Amino acid sequence: MQRLLFPPWKAVMGSPCLRVLIPGAAPRTQCGCSCGIRRPLRPGQYSTISEVALQPGRGTVSQPSKAAERVVGRWLLVCSGTVAGAVILGGVTRLTESGLSMVDWHLIKGMKPPTSQEEWEAEFQKYQQFPEFKILNHDMTLAEFKFIWYMEYSHRMWGRLVGLAYILPAAYFWRKGWLTHGLKGRVLALCGLVCFQGLLGWYMVKSGLAEKPDSHDIPRVSQYRLAAHLGSALVLYCASLWTSFSLLLPQHKLPETRQLLRLRRFAHGTAGAFVAGLDAGLVYNSFPKMGESWIPEDLFTFSPLLRNVFENPTTVQFDHRILGVTSVAAITALYFLSRRIPLPRRTKIAAVTLLALAYTQVGLGISTLLMYVPTPLAATHQSGSLAVLSVALWLMSELRRVPK
């Protein structure tokens, strides 16, 4: 139980100072009275003993209050939501083939969209100089160009919003002293990762704008750069969400049994970004078989063999299916394992929610395949993967070990 400090103006045992014994207290010459302890704290400086970190010989250092921690936790929860929005919007941009419509990148200048007919025509003429227009969209009208341009513009502006959502509050909380020493390092890493995301996004787009004289394939960004861009966004999302959970959700003191350790290990897992980079969903639109067979004949047609894993659309879709089925099987086993252990109500809700979302995600994936990847359904499927990941993190947070 926390003990409230006596008001500093109240005399205790006849002394004008606050009679709180502190190891390594200042000598009485610093106090100026006969009590031999430090001067009283300023009114309102601290409210409880838990907010005073005692450091012999160096005075007192304030620590963020529980209320400040909750504010920081909610901020990071909002930040993770903005990252989720960027991932979903980026997926829609990819599905509508809008990502290569803006052919240059300016941090400030790029925030202003064209407003006149002349500006739109100039923007359209810049787009016409690149492979996507020449090979794929050579008969595109200005009105059609405006649609894909605004899709990419909204994605880039949302990215700027994400950066502001991280950097400005971080500077404010840092100045207010609401970040612990460990949290400062984590917040710096998150802000650095946001900036890296913007640079990586442009590096990805450049791969789709490059001229390839020996190729007449549909221009698309490098699946490797796309995977790196999406992967770093998911790292940013997971780190923000996990930190917010650690600040907002009180930990359960669970008995460290063998069953709990197995459940905790089982709760770690996830995967898959190369499908979007290769339109692998358009290769075999059937389920559970791929065409007429369980294992398609063109599974390993690329040479060398390792290229198939990353560049052969058939192999990528096959891997994606295997990962999906394996993930659902693992989540199902995790759920039944959790039922054999006495867990808090909140943890049980997390396990049930994860199971329900996993089967919903499988249903969305199969429907997306059978209906030849309609954009709304495919975007919902991509959003579902984020939902599954979020609840998996929630469950892992519920099962995390209480520090000794």
Side-chain angles (χ1 to χ4, degrees), residues 347-378:
T347 309
K348 291 181 179 179
I349 292 174
V352 172
T353 306
L354 181 60
L355 182 72
L357 283 176
Y359 279 93
T360 302
Q361 180 69 351
V362 168
L364 286 170
I366 294 172
S367 301
T368 303
L369 269 179
L370 298 180
M371 298 178 68
Y372 289 84
V373 197
T375 298
L377 197 56

PDB file of all heavy atoms in Angstrom, residues 347-378:
ATOM      1  N   THR A 347      -8.120 -13.678 -20.399  1.00  0.00           N
ATOM      2  CA  THR A 347      -7.256 -14.530 -21.220  1.00  0.00           C
ATOM      3  C   THR A 347      -8.084 -15.524 -22.025  1.00  0.00           C
ATOM      4  O   THR A 347      -7.785 -15.793 -23.200  1.00  0.00           O
ATOM      5  CB  THR A 347      -6.258 -15.281 -20.325  1.00  0.00           C
ATOM      6  OG1 THR A 347      -5.609 -14.338 -19.461  1.00  0.00           O
ATOM      7  CG2 THR A 347      -5.211 -16.002 -21.150  1.00  0.00           C
ATOM      8  N   LYS A 348      -9.122 -16.072 -21.411  1.00  0.00           N
ATOM      9  CA  LYS A 348     -10.002 -17.002 -22.128  1.00  0.00           C
ATOM     10  C   LYS A 348     -10.707 -16.304 -23.286  1.00  0.00           C
ATOM     11  O   LYS A 348     -10.854 -16.873 -24.374  1.00  0.00           O
ATOM     12  CB  LYS A 348     -11.037 -17.590 -21.167  1.00  0.00           C
ATOM     13  CG  LYS A 348     -10.460 -18.547 -20.134  1.00  0.00           C
ATOM     14  CD  LYS A 348     -11.560 -19.090 -19.241  1.00  0.00           C
ATOM     15  CE  LYS A 348     -11.009 -20.077 -18.213  1.00  0.00           C
ATOM     16  NZ  LYS A 348     -12.076 -20.592 -17.315  1.00  0.00           N
ATOM     17  N   ILE A 349     -11.124 -15.054 -23.078  1.00  0.00           N
ATOM     18  CA  ILE A 349     -11.778 -14.293 -24.152  1.00  0.00           C
ATOM     19  C   ILE A 349     -10.809 -14.089 -25.316  1.00  0.00           C
ATOM     20  O   ILE A 349     -11.188 -14.203 -26.499  1.00  0.00           O
ATOM     21  CB  ILE A 349     -12.285 -12.942 -23.617  1.00  0.00           C
ATOM     22  CG1 ILE A 349     -13.439 -13.159 -22.626  1.00  0.00           C
ATOM     23  CG2 ILE A 349     -12.733 -12.031 -24.761  1.00  0.00           C
ATOM     24  CD1 ILE A 349     -13.896 -11.888 -21.936  1.00  0.00           C
ATOM     25  N   ALA A 350      -9.549 -13.809 -25.003  1.00  0.00           N
ATOM     26  CA  ALA A 350      -8.545 -13.627 -26.057  1.00  0.00           C
ATOM     27  C   ALA A 350      -8.364 -14.905 -26.869  1.00  0.00           C
ATOM     28  O   ALA A 350      -8.269 -14.861 -28.113  1.00  0.00           O
ATOM     29  CB  ALA A 350      -7.216 -13.194 -25.442  1.00  0.00           C
ATOM     30  N   ALA A 351      -8.329 -16.056 -26.207  1.00  0.00           N
ATOM     31  CA  ALA A 351      -8.151 -17.330 -26.910  1.00  0.00           C
ATOM     32  C   ALA A 351      -9.342 -17.650 -27.811  1.00  0.00           C
ATOM     33  O   ALA A 351      -9.167 -18.085 -28.959  1.00  0.00           O
ATOM     34  CB  ALA A 351      -7.943 -18.457 -25.887  1.00  0.00           C
ATOM     35  N   VAL A 352     -10.563 -17.421 -27.318  1.00  0.00           N
ATOM     36  CA  VAL A 352     -11.764 -17.675 -28.123  1.00  0.00           C
ATOM     37  C   VAL A 352     -11.813 -16.729 -29.322  1.00  0.00           C
ATOM     38  O   VAL A 352     -12.148 -17.131 -30.445  1.00  0.00           O
ATOM     39  CB  VAL A 352     -13.031 -17.520 -27.258  1.00  0.00           C
ATOM     40  CG1 VAL A 352     -14.288 -17.583 -28.116  1.00  0.00           C
ATOM     41  CG2 VAL A 352     -13.082 -18.602 -26.186  1.00  0.00           C
ATOM     42  N   THR A 353     -11.491 -15.460 -29.089  1.00  0.00           N
ATOM     43  CA  THR A 353     -11.505 -14.472 -30.180  1.00  0.00           C
ATOM     44  C   THR A 353     -10.496 -14.842 -31.261  1.00  0.00           C
ATOM     45  O   THR A 353     -10.785 -14.719 -32.461  1.00  0.00           O
ATOM     46  CB  THR A 353     -11.194 -13.077 -29.622  1.00  0.00           C
ATOM     47  OG1 THR A 353     -12.094 -12.769 -28.556  1.00  0.00           O
ATOM     48  CG2 THR A 353     -11.324 -12.017 -30.716  1.00  0.00           C
ATOM     49  N   LEU A 354      -9.316 -15.284 -30.863  1.00  0.00           N
ATOM     50  CA  LEU A 354      -8.293 -15.684 -31.836  1.00  0.00           C
ATOM     51  C   LEU A 354      -8.775 -16.853 -32.684  1.00  0.00           C
ATOM     52  O   LEU A 354      -8.590 -16.863 -33.906  1.00  0.00           O
ATOM     53  CB  LEU A 354      -7.004 -16.063 -31.104  1.00  0.00           C
ATOM     54  CG  LEU A 354      -5.824 -16.484 -31.971  1.00  0.00           C
ATOM     55  CD1 LEU A 354      -5.420 -15.362 -32.929  1.00  0.00           C
ATOM     56  CD2 LEU A 354      -4.631 -16.899 -31.113  1.00  0.00           C
ATOM     57  N   LEU A 355      -9.422 -17.832 -32.060  1.00  0.00           N
ATOM     58  CA  LEU A 355      -9.942 -18.983 -32.806  1.00  0.00           C
ATOM     59  C   LEU A 355     -11.003 -18.546 -33.813  1.00  0.00           C
ATOM     60  O   LEU A 355     -10.971 -18.956 -34.991  1.00  0.00           O
ATOM     61  CB  LEU A 355     -10.531 -20.001 -31.828  1.00  0.00           C
ATOM     62  CG  LEU A 355     -11.079 -21.288 -32.457  1.00  0.00           C
ATOM     63  CD1 LEU A 355      -9.943 -22.167 -32.953  1.00  0.00           C
ATOM     64  CD2 LEU A 355     -11.941 -22.052 -31.440  1.00  0.00           C
ATOM     65  N   ALA A 356     -11.933 -17.700 -33.385  1.00  0.00           N
ATOM     66  CA  ALA A 356     -13.007 -17.237 -34.278  1.00  0.00           C
ATOM     67  C   ALA A 356     -12.447 -16.449 -35.453  1.00  0.00           C
ATOM     68  O   ALA A 356     -12.868 -16.637 -36.609  1.00  0.00           O
ATOM     69  CB  ALA A 356     -14.003 -16.389 -33.484  1.00  0.00           C
ATOM     70  N   LEU A 357     -11.491 -15.566 -35.186  1.00  0.00           N
ATOM     71  CA  LEU A 357     -10.907 -14.761 -36.264  1.00  0.00           C
ATOM     72  C   LEU A 357     -10.110 -15.619 -37.241  1.00  0.00           C
ATOM     73  O   LEU A 357     -10.101 -15.351 -38.447  1.00  0.00           O
ATOM     74  CB  LEU A 357     -10.009 -13.675 -35.677  1.00  0.00           C
ATOM     75  CG  LEU A 357     -10.712 -12.460 -35.073  1.00  0.00           C
ATOM     76  CD1 LEU A 357      -9.705 -11.516 -34.442  1.00  0.00           C
ATOM     77  CD2 LEU A 357     -11.517 -11.717 -36.136  1.00  0.00           C
ATOM     78  N   ALA A 358      -9.445 -16.643 -36.735  1.00  0.00           N
ATOM     79  CA  ALA A 358      -8.657 -17.518 -37.608  1.00  0.00           C
ATOM     80  C   ALA A 358      -9.543 -18.218 -38.626  1.00  0.00           C
ATOM     81  O   ALA A 358      -9.222 -18.268 -39.823  1.00  0.00           O
ATOM     82  CB  ALA A 358      -7.885 -18.536 -36.776  1.00  0.00           C
ATOM     83  N   TYR A 359     -10.681 -18.763 -38.182  1.00  0.00           N
ATOM     84  CA  TYR A 359     -11.580 -19.443 -39.119  1.00  0.00           C
ATOM     85  C   TYR A 359     -12.292 -18.452 -40.046  1.00  0.00           C
ATOM     86  O   TYR A 359     -12.549 -18.769 -41.215  1.00  0.00           O
ATOM     87  CB  TYR A 359     -12.587 -20.294 -38.342  1.00  0.00           C
ATOM     88  CG  TYR A 359     -11.993 -21.615 -37.912  1.00  0.00           C
ATOM     89  CD1 TYR A 359     -11.392 -21.774 -36.672  1.00  0.00           C
ATOM     90  CD2 TYR A 359     -11.989 -22.704 -38.785  1.00  0.00           C
ATOM     91  CE1 TYR A 359     -10.821 -22.977 -36.291  1.00  0.00           C
ATOM     92  CE2 TYR A 359     -11.420 -23.916 -38.416  1.00  0.00           C
ATOM     93  CZ  TYR A 359     -10.840 -24.049 -37.169  1.00  0.00           C
ATOM     94  OH  TYR A 359     -10.262 -25.251 -36.808  1.00  0.00           O
ATOM     95  N   THR A 360     -12.569 -17.260 -39.553  1.00  0.00           N
ATOM     96  CA  THR A 360     -13.124 -16.214 -40.427  1.00  0.00           C
ATOM     97  C   THR A 360     -12.129 -15.849 -41.519  1.00  0.00           C
ATOM     98  O   THR A 360     -12.503 -15.681 -42.693  1.00  0.00           O
ATOM     99  CB  THR A 360     -13.470 -14.969 -39.603  1.00  0.00           C
ATOM    100  OG1 THR A 360     -14.405 -15.314 -38.580  1.00  0.00           O
ATOM    101  CG2 THR A 360     -14.071 -13.882 -40.485  1.00  0.00           C
ATOM    102  N   GLN A 361     -10.863 -15.755 -41.141  1.00  0.00           N
ATOM    103  CA  GLN A 361      -9.820 -15.416 -42.108  1.00  0.00           C
ATOM    104  C   GLN A 361      -9.677 -16.492 -43.176  1.00  0.00           C
ATOM    105  O   GLN A 361      -9.478 -16.179 -44.365  1.00  0.00           O
ATOM    106  CB  GLN A 361      -8.497 -15.208 -41.349  1.00  0.00           C
ATOM    107  CG  GLN A 361      -7.319 -14.845 -42.208  1.00  0.00           C
ATOM    108  CD  GLN A 361      -7.424 -13.458 -42.818  1.00  0.00           C
ATOM    109  OE1 GLN A 361      -8.459 -12.801 -42.739  1.00  0.00           O
ATOM    110  NE2 GLN A 361      -6.362 -13.016 -43.460  1.00  0.00           N
ATOM    111  N   VAL A 362      -9.771 -17.756 -42.787  1.00  0.00           N
ATOM    112  CA  VAL A 362      -9.710 -18.849 -43.770  1.00  0.00           C
ATOM    113  C   VAL A 362     -10.882 -18.751 -44.737  1.00  0.00           C
ATOM    114  O   VAL A 362     -10.729 -18.900 -45.958  1.00  0.00           O
ATOM    115  CB  VAL A 362      -9.704 -20.220 -43.062  1.00  0.00           C
ATOM    116  CG1 VAL A 362      -9.946 -21.347 -44.058  1.00  0.00           C
ATOM    117  CG2 VAL A 362      -8.382 -20.444 -42.355  1.00  0.00           C
ATOM    118  N   GLY A 363     -12.067 -18.485 -44.200  1.00  0.00           N
ATOM    119  CA  GLY A 363     -13.242 -18.339 -45.060  1.00  0.00           C
ATOM    120  C   GLY A 363     -13.096 -17.193 -46.049  1.00  0.00           C
ATOM    121  O   GLY A 363     -13.455 -17.322 -47.231  1.00  0.00           O
ATOM    122  N   LEU A 364     -12.545 -16.075 -45.581  1.00  0.00           N
ATOM    123  CA  LEU A 364     -12.324 -14.930 -46.469  1.00  0.00           C
ATOM    124  C   LEU A 364     -11.294 -15.265 -47.550  1.00  0.00           C
ATOM    125  O   LEU A 364     -11.456 -14.876 -48.714  1.00  0.00           O
ATOM    126  CB  LEU A 364     -11.844 -13.725 -45.654  1.00  0.00           C
ATOM    127  CG  LEU A 364     -12.886 -13.008 -44.804  1.00  0.00           C
ATOM    128  CD1 LEU A 364     -12.210 -11.995 -43.876  1.00  0.00           C
ATOM    129  CD2 LEU A 364     -13.903 -12.305 -45.686  1.00  0.00           C
ATOM    130  N   GLY A 365     -10.233 -15.985 -47.171  1.00  0.00           N
ATOM    131  CA  GLY A 365      -9.205 -16.341 -48.143  1.00  0.00           C
ATOM    132  C   GLY A 365      -9.729 -17.244 -49.236  1.00  0.00           C
ATOM    133  O   GLY A 365      -9.452 -17.032 -50.426  1.00  0.00           O
ATOM    134  N   ILE A 366     -10.513 -18.266 -48.852  1.00  0.00           N
ATOM    135  CA  ILE A 366     -11.077 -19.187 -49.844  1.00  0.00           C
ATOM    136  C   ILE A 366     -12.054 -18.444 -50.751  1.00  0.00           C
ATOM    137  O   ILE A 366     -12.055 -18.625 -51.982  1.00  0.00           O
ATOM    138  CB  ILE A 366     -11.764 -20.364 -49.134  1.00  0.00           C
ATOM    139  CG1 ILE A 366     -10.714 -21.207 -48.387  1.00  0.00           C
ATOM    140  CG2 ILE A 366     -12.516 -21.231 -50.130  1.00  0.00           C
ATOM    141  CD1 ILE A 366     -11.313 -22.271 -47.501  1.00  0.00           C
ATOM    142  N   SER A 367     -12.879 -17.575 -50.164  1.00  0.00           N
ATOM    143  CA  SER A 367     -13.846 -16.802 -50.967  1.00  0.00           C
ATOM    144  C   SER A 367     -13.134 -15.886 -51.941  1.00  0.00           C
ATOM    145  O   SER A 367     -13.562 -15.732 -53.097  1.00  0.00           O
ATOM    146  CB  SER A 367     -14.752 -15.991 -50.041  1.00  0.00           C
ATOM    147  OG  SER A 367     -15.446 -16.830 -49.144  1.00  0.00           O
ATOM    148  N   THR A 368     -12.048 -15.276 -51.496  1.00  0.00           N
ATOM    149  CA  THR A 368     -11.273 -14.390 -52.374  1.00  0.00           C
ATOM    150  C   THR A 368     -10.729 -15.149 -53.574  1.00  0.00           C
ATOM    151  O   THR A 368     -10.761 -14.650 -54.717  1.00  0.00           O
ATOM    152  CB  THR A 368     -10.124 -13.738 -51.583  1.00  0.00           C
ATOM    153  OG1 THR A 368     -10.657 -13.028 -50.469  1.00  0.00           O
ATOM    154  CG2 THR A 368      -9.334 -12.782 -52.454  1.00  0.00           C
ATOM    155  N   LEU A 369     -10.232 -16.365 -53.351  1.00  0.00           N
ATOM    156  CA  LEU A 369      -9.729 -17.192 -54.447  1.00  0.00           C
ATOM    157  C   LEU A 369     -10.834 -17.572 -55.426  1.00  0.00           C
ATOM    158  O   LEU A 369     -10.700 -17.394 -56.641  1.00  0.00           O
ATOM    159  CB  LEU A 369      -9.107 -18.466 -53.879  1.00  0.00           C
ATOM    160  CG  LEU A 369      -7.611 -18.467 -53.541  1.00  0.00           C
ATOM    161  CD1 LEU A 369      -7.227 -19.819 -52.966  1.00  0.00           C
ATOM    162  CD2 LEU A 369      -6.778 -18.150 -54.770  1.00  0.00           C
ATOM    163  N   LEU A 370     -11.929 -18.110 -54.897  1.00  0.00           N
ATOM    164  CA  LEU A 370     -12.993 -18.634 -55.762  1.00  0.00           C
ATOM    165  C   LEU A 370     -13.683 -17.543 -56.566  1.00  0.00           C
ATOM    166  O   LEU A 370     -14.212 -17.811 -57.651  1.00  0.00           O
ATOM    167  CB  LEU A 370     -14.024 -19.388 -54.913  1.00  0.00           C
ATOM    168  CG  LEU A 370     -13.503 -20.618 -54.148  1.00  0.00           C
ATOM    169  CD1 LEU A 370     -14.628 -21.269 -53.352  1.00  0.00           C
ATOM    170  CD2 LEU A 370     -12.863 -21.628 -55.104  1.00  0.00           C
ATOM    171  N   MET A 371     -13.673 -16.304 -56.060  1.00  0.00           N
ATOM    172  CA  MET A 371     -14.338 -15.189 -56.746  1.00  0.00           C
ATOM    173  C   MET A 371     -13.356 -14.353 -57.560  1.00  0.00           C
ATOM    174  O   MET A 371     -13.663 -13.229 -57.947  1.00  0.00           O
ATOM    175  CB  MET A 371     -15.068 -14.321 -55.726  1.00  0.00           C
ATOM    176  CG  MET A 371     -16.172 -15.068 -54.980  1.00  0.00           C
ATOM    177  SD  MET A 371     -17.007 -14.072 -53.727  1.00  0.00           S
ATOM    178  CE  MET A 371     -17.862 -12.880 -54.770  1.00  0.00           C
ATOM    179  N   TYR A 372     -12.153 -14.895 -57.806  1.00  0.00           N
ATOM    180  CA  TYR A 372     -11.144 -14.244 -58.647  1.00  0.00           C
ATOM    181  C   TYR A 372     -10.702 -12.877 -58.097  1.00  0.00           C
ATOM    182  O   TYR A 372     -10.587 -11.893 -58.832  1.00  0.00           O
ATOM    183  CB  TYR A 372     -11.633 -14.108 -60.091  1.00  0.00           C
ATOM    184  CG  TYR A 372     -11.692 -15.440 -60.806  1.00  0.00           C
ATOM    185  CD1 TYR A 372     -12.815 -16.264 -60.670  1.00  0.00           C
ATOM    186  CD2 TYR A 372     -10.638 -15.893 -61.591  1.00  0.00           C
ATOM    187  CE1 TYR A 372     -12.880 -17.509 -61.305  1.00  0.00           C
ATOM    188  CE2 TYR A 372     -10.684 -17.125 -62.221  1.00  0.00           C
ATOM    189  CZ  TYR A 372     -11.807 -17.933 -62.075  1.00  0.00           C
ATOM    190  OH  TYR A 372     -11.865 -19.164 -62.697  1.00  0.00           O
ATOM    191  N   VAL A 373     -10.474 -12.833 -56.808  1.00  0.00           N
ATOM    192  CA  VAL A 373      -9.856 -11.702 -56.118  1.00  0.00           C
ATOM    193  C   VAL A 373     -10.561 -10.370 -56.370  1.00  0.00           C
ATOM    194  O   VAL A 373      -9.955  -9.435 -56.922  1.00  0.00           O
ATOM    195  CB  VAL A 373      -8.344 -11.584 -56.481  1.00  0.00           C
ATOM    196  CG1 VAL A 373      -7.613 -10.699 -55.465  1.00  0.00           C
ATOM    197  CG2 VAL A 373      -7.684 -12.951 -56.529  1.00  0.00           C
ATOM    198  N   PRO A 374     -11.839 -10.231 -55.981  1.00  0.00           N
ATOM    199  CA  PRO A 374     -12.463  -8.909 -56.043  1.00  0.00           C
ATOM    200  C   PRO A 374     -11.815  -7.998 -55.002  1.00  0.00           C
ATOM    201  O   PRO A 374     -11.502  -8.433 -53.887  1.00  0.00           O
ATOM    202  CB  PRO A 374     -13.925  -9.188 -55.699  1.00  0.00           C
ATOM    203  CG  PRO A 374     -13.908 -10.465 -54.931  1.00  0.00           C
ATOM    204  CD  PRO A 374     -12.755 -11.265 -55.454  1.00  0.00           C
ATOM    205  N   THR A 375     -11.629  -6.737 -55.365  1.00  0.00           N
ATOM    206  CA  THR A 375     -10.883  -5.821 -54.495  1.00  0.00           C
ATOM    207  C   THR A 375     -11.474  -5.691 -53.093  1.00  0.00           C
ATOM    208  O   THR A 375     -10.724  -5.773 -52.101  1.00  0.00           O
ATOM    209  CB  THR A 375     -10.782  -4.437 -55.171  1.00  0.00           C
ATOM    210  OG1 THR A 375     -10.065  -4.569 -56.405  1.00  0.00           O
ATOM    211  CG2 THR A 375     -10.033  -3.456 -54.274  1.00  0.00           C
ATOM    212  N   PRO A 376     -12.794  -5.485 -52.908  1.00  0.00           N
ATOM    213  CA  PRO A 376     -13.321  -5.347 -51.543  1.00  0.00           C
ATOM    214  C   PRO A 376     -13.069  -6.586 -50.679  1.00  0.00           C
ATOM    215  O   PRO A 376     -12.682  -6.459 -49.508  1.00  0.00           O
ATOM    216  CB  PRO A 376     -14.825  -5.120 -51.761  1.00  0.00           C
ATOM    217  CG  PRO A 376     -14.942  -4.593 -53.153  1.00  0.00           C
ATOM    218  CD  PRO A 376     -13.861  -5.290 -53.917  1.00  0.00           C
ATOM    219  N   LEU A 377     -13.261  -7.770 -51.266  1.00  0.00           N
ATOM    220  CA  LEU A 377     -13.070  -9.003 -50.500  1.00  0.00           C
ATOM    221  C   LEU A 377     -11.593  -9.237 -50.198  1.00  0.00           C
ATOM    222  O   LEU A 377     -11.223  -9.651 -49.089  1.00  0.00           O
ATOM    223  CB  LEU A 377     -13.649 -10.186 -51.273  1.00  0.00           C
ATOM    224  CG  LEU A 377     -13.902 -11.485 -50.494  1.00  0.00           C
ATOM    225  CD1 LEU A 377     -14.808 -11.231 -49.300  1.00  0.00           C
ATOM    226  CD2 LEU A 377     -14.529 -12.534 -51.414  1.00  0.00           C
ATOM    227  N   ALA A 378     -10.740  -8.967 -51.180  1.00  0.00           N
ATOM    228  CA  ALA A 378      -9.300  -9.134 -50.963  1.00  0.00           C
ATOM    229  C   ALA A 378      -8.793  -8.168 -49.895  1.00  0.00           C
ATOM    230  O   ALA A 378      -7.957  -8.532 -49.056  1.00  0.00           O
ATOM    231  CB  ALA A 378      -8.546  -8.915 -52.271  1.00  0.00           C
TER     232      ALA A 378
END
